[in-house]
Amino acid sequence: MALTEFALIERYFSHCGAVRGDVALGVGDDGALLRSPSGEDLVAAIDTLVAGVHFPPQAEPASIGHRALAVNLSDLAAMGARPAWALVALTLPESDARWLEEFARGFGALALMHNVALVGGDTTRGPLCVTVQLLGHVPPGHALRRGGGAAGDTLFLSGTAGDAAAGLLLEQGGLALADLGAAQELRARFAFPTPRVALGEVLRGHASACIDVSDGLLGDAAKLAAASGCGVEIALEELPLSHALVRAVGVERARHLALTGGDDYELCFSVPAAHVAELSRALPQERWNYRCIGTLRKGAGAVVTRAGTVMQFSHSGFEHFAS
Ligand code: ADP
Ligand code: MG
């Protein structure tokens, strides 16, 4: 069933996500009117997902809606910000009611969970593409950044790494798995990632630097290090791996995926060594689910160590530099 542009906006997007008192005017006029809490810094992020590039063209629409918001929530989490308002620019090949309903359901459920109101957007016809802009707040001067780390800081990672990459491989037929439970868990990690918004907020005042892992841990940790004017060392044995991932591909390939695979949307953050004990007290690891994976160090670039020795890293695996 096809809907007119006006009807589909009204039906699926005029009451999507949270209802917030700071939205003076939402969907329906030429612009949204938003009331920023006085004194707070406004944090803005925007991300585009293109069919065939950022998700398989046949991906379930609920997953596309979820991920389009999740990637932005993850950016705000990495800033230590509290999300508030979203705008969606949607380009669709056709106005398919079932597709739109599922998309809005995926987007809306995650928006509700994080108290995000959908306050506007744009709808056009063309090849499938979704852009979400997300706005949020942070106490002035307290946003987390990539550039606040220093050599000697301890590096942490939330959750587990590599699952989403394995999930995408499963989706694309690049990996087969007899263990259906593990397969389902890994696919869900790609299709419905969990942005670490609450962790980002409580890391304010603890983390010296923070980045969300979207393009692969090794590369993203290197970006944090570069912005902080130092290098980074990651201990291969310390990488947090899910049971599902190890069951699926074995520990060696799991570590490789954990370092290079994208779409995890975990937080990678540094804490000055002198403040690590305080971090563990304030944010117990069992509750907040993060672990130490390495350190920032003098110099530049990212290296991976195994049993304290720097590893050569290639697409086929790891080798000692020495051997
Ligand atoms: P205009 O031509 O004035 O930009 P539009 O017809 O594009 O108006 O949009 C009408 C209203 O619907 C605006 O408030 C806009 O923000 C909102 N809107 C359009 N598309 C979407 C969407 N996909 N999600 C949420 N709001 C949307
Ligand atoms: Mg418009």
Side-chain angles (χ1 to χ4, degrees), residues 17-49:
V19 175
R20 293 178 58 100
D22 54 11
V23 179
L25 191 58
V27 170
D29 214 305
D30 290 313
L33 275 175
L34 309 169
R35 300 199 167 118
S36 261
S38 64
E40 298 268 286
D41 282 348
L42 186 66
V43 182
I46 187 164
D47 259 311
T48 295
L49 302 188

Side-chain angles (χ1 to χ4, degrees), residues 17 37 118 149 151 241 317 321:
L118 179 58
L241 306 172
F321 263 141

Side-chain angles (χ1 to χ4, degrees), residues 5 121-123:
E5 181 188 329
D122 196 26
T123 307

Side-chain angles (χ1 to χ4, degrees), residues 24 44 53 132 216 268:
V53 178
V132 173
C268 178

Side-chain angles (χ1 to χ4, degrees), residues 13-220:
F13 300 115
S14 58
H15 305 284
C16 187
V19 175
R20 293 178 58 100
D22 54 11
V23 179
L25 191 58
V27 170
D29 214 305
D30 290 313
L33 275 175
L34 309 169
R35 300 199 167 118
S36 261
S38 64
E40 298 268 286
D41 282 348
L42 186 66
V43 182
I46 187 164
D47 259 311
T48 295
L49 302 188
V50 179
V53 178
H54 301 97
F55 58 88
Q58 294 315 315
E60 32 171 342
S63 161
I64 299 170
H66 177 103
R67 292 186 76 241
L69 180 58
V71 300
N72 284 283
L73 285 167
S74 184
D75 282 329
L76 259 68
M79 301 300 291
R82 174 171 298 182
W85 309 309
L87 294 108
V88 176
L90 194 54
T91 304
L92 295 170
E94 55 188 342
S95 71
D96 175 332
R98 194 198 67 83
W99 193 97
L100 280 159
E101 188 165 337
E102 287 298 296
F103 173 87
R105 190 173 61 77
F107 183 99
L110 187 63
L112 259 184
M113 210 183 291
H114 292 281
N115 194 25
V116 168
L118 179 58
V119 299
D122 196 26
T123 307
T124 52
R125 188 189 286 265
L128 180 59
C129 176
V130 187
T131 298
V132 173
Q133 181 184 42
L134 186 63
L135 303 167
H137 307 102
V138 67
H142 285 76
L144 301 175
R145 298 170 187 222
R146 296 179 180 184
D153 287 3
T154 306
L155 193 71
F156 295 91
L157 181 72
S158 69
T160 56
D163 299 331
L168 181 59
L169 278 174
L170 283 166
E171 193 64 43
Q172 294 172 329
L175 183 67
L177 205 52
D179 184 335
L180 295 183
Q184 195 180 13
E185 196 178 319
L186 296 171
R187 278 170 188 261
R189 287 272 288 161
F190 177 82
F192 295 94
T194 305
R196 307 296 179 187
V197 178
L199 177 62
E201 275 202 67
V202 295
L203 281 175
R204 291 195 314 251
H206 292 287
S208 53
C210 188
I211 189 170
D212 74 311
V213 180
S214 53
D215 298 335
L217 175 60
L218 195 56
D220 287 333

